[in-house]
Amino acid sequence: MPAAFGKDAGRNGSHPFLKAAFGVAGPGGTGLVIRTGKTWPNSMVFNLALGAGELKPGGYRFRPRALGGDQASDRTPWCGFTVTR
């Protein structure tokens, strides 16, 4: 994930307030979910948890970006996934 927050980004807790913003889009690029969450440990892991039934079966795509203070990284390229039930 691109994040230009200095050469030590994520090391030794150098960005303890770094967050991740996730965008999830459905078929046709319709935006369905946009959430911002904390990162862990040492700002190296981002995740998005959705509840059962929050997305209907079908194809989706997502792309995160890092947020830190008044800075934001570029969004990653789209990644796809499929909900089967």
Side-chain angles (χ1 to χ4, degrees):
M1 165 173 238
F5 295 111
K7 66 179 183 171
D8 295 323
R11 294 185 189 147
N12 302 318
S14 61
H15 293 285
F17 303 108
L18 188 64
K19 294 183 177 184
F22 282 90
V24 177
T30 306
L32 299 174
V33 178
I34 298 174
R35 293 199 185 140
T36 301
K38 295 180 180 180
T39 61
W40 60 274
N42 293 331
S43 304
M44 299 290 287
V45 177
F46 305 156
N47 72 343
L48 172 66
L50 300 173
E54 200 164 343
L55 299 176
K56 296 181 189 260
Y60 296 89
R61 56 189 186 152
F62 73 96
R63 61 182 184 173
R65 72 175 172 172
L67 304 173
D70 62 353
Q71 296 181 338
S73 72
D74 292 336
R75 290 193 179 275
T76 66
W78 285 106
C79 298
F81 67 96
T82 301
V83 174
T84 58
R85 350 180 206 171

